[in-house]
Every structure is written in structure tokens, then in C-alpha cells.
Amino acid sequence: MDPRAKLLITIAYIVMLFFVDYFVVYAFIAVLLLVVIFLSKVPLHKVLRSIKAVLFLLIFTFILTIVFNQGQGEEAEIAKFGWYAHWGIFTVCGSGLLLGGKLICRLLLLVLGPTMLTFTTTPVALTDAVEYLLTPLKWVKVPVHAFAMIMSIALSLIPGLMEETTKIMNAQKARGASFDHGNIFKRAAALLPVLIPLFVSSFKRSDDLADAMDSRCYRGAKGRTKMKVLKFRLIDYLAMLLTVALFFFILMLFYNWWGFAWINIILVA
Amino acid sequence: MSIISVKNLIYKYNEDEEDEVTALNGLSFDVEEGEFIALIGSNGSGKSTLAKLLNGLKEPSSGTVTVDGIDTTDKPHIFDVRKTVGVVFQNPDNQMVASIIEDDIAFGPENLGVPPKEIDERVDWALACVGMSEHRKGTPHRLSGGQKQRIAIAGVLAIKPRVIVLDEATSMLDPRGKKEVMDVIEGIRERENMTVIMITHFPDEAARADRVIALDRGRIVLDENAHSALSDVERLRAYGLDAPLPARIAYELRRRGIALEGEIVTNSELKEAIWRLK
């Protein structure tokens, strides 16, 4: 698929998630996402691993929403769920649980969607897509090409810089520096002898890179062609059309256009 | 006409300031198409500065560098100069523009405005030249130093230069990486008849060239056929340079009164000379 289509769909997907208010719809989106994962042939466990990074955030938000949500109409709550606990400023109630559950669904789907984008798209394709989609900004003299170039270079330099950081840290450790003792301020201060050489070496690195780019005839966007020409194909149009349809459906539920909220009642029941 | 012609080239760092340093002091030489030149010199002799002058990354303080008839200070034609002379630098990590190998190699031809289909062919060709075709879709970060440098060479080859300058391109590599890169360079030279200028401080690498230019403190002290230049151990030492190991062995043997015949630079020549001893 075209990276531009993928990027647009991902953006729409993220916005869409904020308009969803029902578990059934979350489940529906999750099923769609599963289909996407299946079609992309990315191993499921690899995708799920991305959750690990946000696991703490998930649990934290879940507990906070449960604990601080007061619920509306206590009797109603008790009547409906038959369970209500109150302890100082903390309240655990049904509506809090519901809200927490929804938040978790939302966050999970928010993480998993864009993960699929990065799994199936190379950084270069992605920057190309960004460059194309930001083209309108060129009319107001924003250096879009430069931005895209910076993005692509930054992405390609990250592994190198990480390597450099470990190297410098090891060098400082060999000279008796310690990075895992003392309180947080001491630790931060201990990082200073790492950051300074890192800065110096990144400047040297960018100097070298500039020379290398110059000698490979780089002259900005002028007269530049692309090896991989971006091309929208039928599947891209179809996918975008589907996304628009889904978005429309969700907005319809959310704002109750034409009294379509009756669908909710069926869905909730 | 020579492909590169250097005349009375002087280059000063921090020109007209207190800490002015003359890196190159009056160099003149011509490079003919198809030559394989080794540029040797000790640290601070101005080798790397010269590399950057050859494709207009730096401009001479005085004198001229002419590439295929174009002066490197001729701004409107600077890309013709850089299209003709490609430079591979020392550190392979600092030359990667993209995080996917094929995208990195396509960078040069993309800049030149080559049509997409031809870029694709050039990437294929360049990767085949350096023997890395199977890594096309991979990322450079997992490769060894020698492999990374081969990718960097492919990136320059894709521009289809007529001269390739290697600025100590093997100095950060382990012996295996060095050999890989040297073999690739010889392969390119043989098959594509490319002009190669190799800047190095390894005498054994210089021995593979046809012609040796030695720099000492910004001046050319030696410019002759590689064989005779590298076999003269004493003269090289006077300029702070080392001769290849076989030449040094022959030199020490001769000093101890063993009369080896001929100029000795390579292992096989040393072997021959020893066999011929009576």
C-alpha cells in the first residue's frame, strides 16, 4: 500500500477512537485491526509486544479513573451494579469501572494502530509520505523537503548515537564514573560527562555527513527525483473509502444524527 | 586531457588569521583516466585536505584544481565536478543518509535527477559491484565495518563517477574488512576501468596501486611508479613513511649482507629473490 494512504488512515483511525463510546464498537475496531494484522503477515506477538511499553501507563490511568470517578446518582449506581465502595476521597463504582475499561480499550487501540504503521512502512517511505502530505505548506514557504530530510537523517542516526552513548558510558565507567548510585540528582549530574562528549561527537558526525552528502551531489529538493515513486492504487482508494465510511458511522453514533442512536440501544443491550 | 589536473595548489586553514596553518603548499600533479594512484603521507601531511579539494568541498587558497576541464571553484558547475569525482570517507557510519540500504544508495542518483527506473538499475548494479546484492532491503546498522564501507562505496558508485577517491576508507576497519574493501576496489577498477585515488597510510595497500604520490608537510616528495617508490625503504623513512613488509624484510636482509636482487615490494618478489640466492 501507498505510505500516504497508510498515514492518512492511521491519523483518521486515531481521531476516530476519541469518538467511540461503546465497548461493542471498540470490539468491532479491534476485529478490524486483527484482520489488518493478519493481512500484513506481521507476527501477532511482535505487535503485542508494543503494549509492554505502555503497560504502566495503562494500569495507572485505569486505577486513577476507577478511584476518582464519583459516579452519577449513587442510588442508581447501587441499583444497577449492586456494588459501591467509598473510602475517603476514593470511590469505586460501576461508572468508574466502565469509564476505566473504555479508556483501556481506547489506549490499547491507540497504541496498536500506529504500531502497525511503523511495522509495515520503512522510515524513508514514511518521510516521503509526510513530505507529500505537507506539500500545501510549501506555498507559504515552509521548507517541507528540508523537514523530511531532517526526519529521515535523524531516524537513520539514532542507532549510531545509541552505540556512541554506550561507548562513552563505558569509557567513563572505566575511569570510575558511576551511573547507578545516589539520588536522582546525583545520577543526572553523573550523566553530564556522557552528554558533553556525545554532543561533541554528534557535531563531528554531522560535519562528516554534510561532506558526504555534498559529495553525493545533494542540493535540496531542486531537480531531485525519487527511486520509489508514490502511487495511489485501487487498494489504497478502497482502504481510504472504508475508513471514511467507518468514521462516518462512528460520528453518526456519537452525535445521534437522524436519531440513529437507536442502534446504540441495540448495541448496548 | 587529464581527468584531474592540480596546479600550484595551496590550501591554508584559517586563512589571514593568527592561527593560519598551511596544509598544502604548492602541489602540482595530473591524474590520467584509468590510473590507480595511492596517496600516502604521515598524519598531518595534508592527505585528507587534498581529498576534499579534489571534488570542490574545499576551495584552494591559491592555485587550481581542474576536473575534466572544469575548475572546482566554478560554482554553477560544481555538481558536474562532484558527478565526476566521488569521494568515500573514513567513517562508514557517518556517511549513511537513510536507514535502508537501497534508499541510501539511491540518494546520489536521486540528487542528480535520474529517472526512477534507472535509479533502480543503478542501485542493483552498484550493489552487485560491491558484492552486497542480498542486503538490498536490509539496514546498515547490523553490518560489519567492512560491509558498511562497501555500502558507502556503492553509494558513490551509483552516481557513476569516473574517478573514485577513497579517503582512508579502510583505516577504521579490521584486517578482514580492509581486505574486503580492497578486493572490491580492485574489482571495480578491472571491470569498470575506473580511475582510483586511494589515500592511505598503509604501505601494503599502496603496493596495489600503479603510482604513488607521497606527501610530507603539505608538499609532494615522491611521485613515481609504485614499485620503485615503495621498494626504497630509506627514502620513505626519511619522510616518516613505512615501506611494505616484504620491502622492509629485504632491506634488513641486505643490511646484514645478503645480496638480494631487484626491487622488492610484494611477497612473491621477496620469495623469488630469496630462491635466486646462491
Side-chain angles (χ1 to χ4, degrees):
Chain A
M1 262 180 82
D2 190 291
R4 290 170 297 180
K6 282 197 267 190
L7 191 62
L8 283 175
I9 290 172
T10 311
I11 293 169
Y13 168 88
I14 290 170
V15 177
M16 196 174 349
L17 279 176
F18 285 96
F19 287 102
V20 177
D21 217 9
Y22 299 97
F23 281 114
V24 189
V25 184
Y26 280 124
F28 180 60
I29 294 177
V31 169
L32 282 181
L33 195 63
L34 270 175
V35 172
V36 169
I37 294 172
F38 176 73
L39 286 177
S40 70
K41 299 197 182 80
V42 176
L44 191 63
H45 63 92
K46 249 178 140 178
V47 181
L48 292 179
R49 211 178 294 156
S50 66
I51 298 175
K52 251 202 313 208
V54 290
L55 202 62
F56 174 74
L57 183 77
L58 277 181
I59 295 168
F60 191 66
T61 41
F62 184 62
I63 291 174
L64 277 190
T65 25
I66 291 177
V67 162
F68 286 110
N69 195 292
Q70 305 279 326
Q72 302 126 327
E74 287 170 23
E75 292 93 345
E77 290 291 339
I78 298 165
K80 202 169 176 186
F81 297 97
W83 189 59
Y84 189 86
H86 193 78
W87 186 43
I89 53 162
F90 304 120
T91 315
V92 176
C93 65
S95 73
L97 278 173
L98 262 181
L99 199 67
K102 280 176 193 166
L103 259 176
I104 284 218
C105 288
R106 189 175 286 173
L107 282 175
L108 268 180
L109 290 172
L110 267 182
V111 172
L112 290 178
T115 303
M116 283 313 294
L117 178 70
T118 50
F119 268 132
T120 57
T121 322
T122 65
V124 173
L126 214 52
T127 39
D128 279 356
V130 171
E131 188 178 349
Y132 178 86
L133 294 176
L134 291 181
T135 312
L137 286 179
K138 270 184 196 161
W139 303 328
V140 281
K141 302 267 180 211
V142 177
V144 173
H145 169 78
F147 277 141
M149 199 68 215
I150 292 169
M151 209 168 118
S152 135
I153 290 174
L155 285 172
S156 73
L157 281 186
I158 288 170
L161 278 180
M162 301 260 265
E163 223 170 82
E164 192 86 28
T165 316
T166 6
K167 225 189 273 172
I168 296 172
M169 276 177 98
N170 284 339
Q172 303 291 32
K173 270 186 202 156
R175 292 155 66 187
S178 94
F179 300 110
D180 36 19
H181 288 284
N183 60 31
I184 190 143
F185 294 107
K186 273 189 185 154
R187 281 191 206 190
L191 277 179
L192 205 63
V194 174
L195 288 179
I196 293 170
L198 193 63
F199 258 112
V200 174
S201 84
S202 355
F203 279 120
K204 163 110 185 61
R205 209 177 250 266
S206 48
D207 246 4
D208 283 357
L209 185 66
D211 275 343
M213 286 170 72
D214 269 343
S215 48
R216 280 160 79 182
C217 305
Y218 183 63
R219 50 185 144 179
K222 211 177 85 196
R224 205 173 138 79
T225 47
K226 290 271 175 199
M227 175 170 65
K228 293 171 192 151
V229 185
L230 300 179
K231 215 172 153 197
F232 279 117
R233 279 176 307 164
L234 186 65
I235 182 150
D236 298 305
Y237 288 119
L238 277 179
M240 286 196 286
L241 209 67
L242 262 173
T243 313
V244 170
L246 186 65
F247 204 162
F248 186 75
F249 176 67
I250 284 166
L251 283 179
M252 198 171 71
L253 288 182
F254 190 76
Y255 287 114
N256 189 15
W257 288 334
W258 307 297
F260 263 109
W262 57 268
I263 298 178
N264 297 338
I265 296 155
I266 297 172
L267 292 177
V268 171
Chain B
M1 189 179 62
S2 320
I3 182 97
I4 297 179
S5 169
V6 176
K7 279 201 183 66
N8 306 317
L9 173 65
I10 296 177
Y11 184 81
K12 294 171 179 160
Y13 282 99
N14 307 324
E15 208 178 348
D16 298 326
E17 282 171 42
E18 268 175 51
D19 48 353
E20 183 181 286
V21 182
T22 307
L24 296 171
N25 198 353
L27 304 190
S28 297
F29 63 92
D30 288 318
V31 178
E32 303 304 325
E33 193 126 35
E35 269 192 303
F36 184 5
I37 298 178
L39 201 73
I40 58 174
S42 51
N43 289 336
S45 59
K47 299 175 303 223
S48 292
T49 312
L50 182 56
K52 288 180 186 163
L53 280 152
L54 289 179
N55 74 343
L57 287 176
K58 289 185 191 307
E59 289 183 5
S61 304
S62 80
T64 55
V65 179
T66 319
V67 172
D68 198 23
I70 305 164
D71 193 299
T72 57
T73 54
D74 183 1
K75 281 273 176 262
H77 293 106
I78 187 70
F79 292 104
D80 292 319
V81 169
R82 292 186 183 152
K83 213 158 71 181
T84 314
V85 179
V87 184
V88 179
F89 294 94
Q90 194 171 14
N91 188 339
D93 286 319
N94 297 357
Q95 299 174 59
M96 299 291 166
V97 186
S99 43
I100 304 287
I101 286 170
E102 60 170 351
D103 292 322
D104 186 71
I105 293 169
F107 181 72
E110 282 178 345
N111 287 334
L112 294 172
V114 175
K117 202 165 159 271
E118 200 192 325
I119 298 180
D120 196 68
E121 288 160 13
R122 284 193 186 196
V123 171
D124 266 342
W125 170 78
L127 279 171
C129 273
V130 299
M132 296 284 289
S133 295
E134 71 274 31
H135 293 278
R136 182 171 170 149
K137 304 272 178 200
T139 104
H141 304 294
R142 298 218 178 85
L143 301 177
S144 71
Q147 287 175 315
K148 278 186 202 169
Q149 197 59 291
R150 277 150 71 190
I151 296 296
I153 292 173
V156 171
L157 282 178
I159 300 169
K160 300 223 171 180
R162 284 157 71 190
V163 183
I164 186 162
V165 178
L166 300 137
D167 183 4
E168 305 209 30
T170 62
S171 66
M172 295 184 75
L173 308 179
D174 56 15
R176 214 175 97 200
K178 279 192 178 69
K179 193 179 173 306
E180 277 172 29
V181 169
M182 287 306 296
D183 289 346
V184 160
I185 292 164
E186 274 190 356
I188 298 164
R189 234 183 71 73
E190 275 164 26
R191 271 177 282 121
E192 313 293 333
N193 191 33
M194 206 170 274
T195 313
V196 177
I197 300 177
M198 185 176 61
I199 298 173
T200 176
H201 53 239
F202 296 103
D204 297 285
E205 285 177 4
R208 298 204 189 194
D210 313 324
R211 174 176 159 200
V212 166
I213 298 178
L215 292 181
D216 186 35
R217 275 163 281 173
R219 286 174 202 278
I220 292 181
V221 289
L222 245 178
D223 180 359
E224 55 192 74
N225 146 329
H227 206 258
S228 66
L230 292 171
S231 59
D232 195 339
V233 179
E234 271 177 27
R235 192 169 48 159
L236 286 171
R237 280 194 182 160
Y239 303 126
L241 298 167
D242 233 345
L245 185 62
R248 265 155 38 216
I249 292 173
Y251 172 76
E252 292 298 332
L253 287 173
R254 279 175 184 146
R255 266 197 349 155
R256 284 167 176 72
I258 298 166
L260 294 170
E261 286 170 12
E263 288 176 343
I264 295 163
V265 177
T266 63
N267 282 334
S268 58
E269 283 166 350
L270 179 62
K271 196 168 67 185
E272 284 289 325
I274 291 174
W275 276 345
R276 256 187 266 124
L277 280 177
K278 287 179 189 111

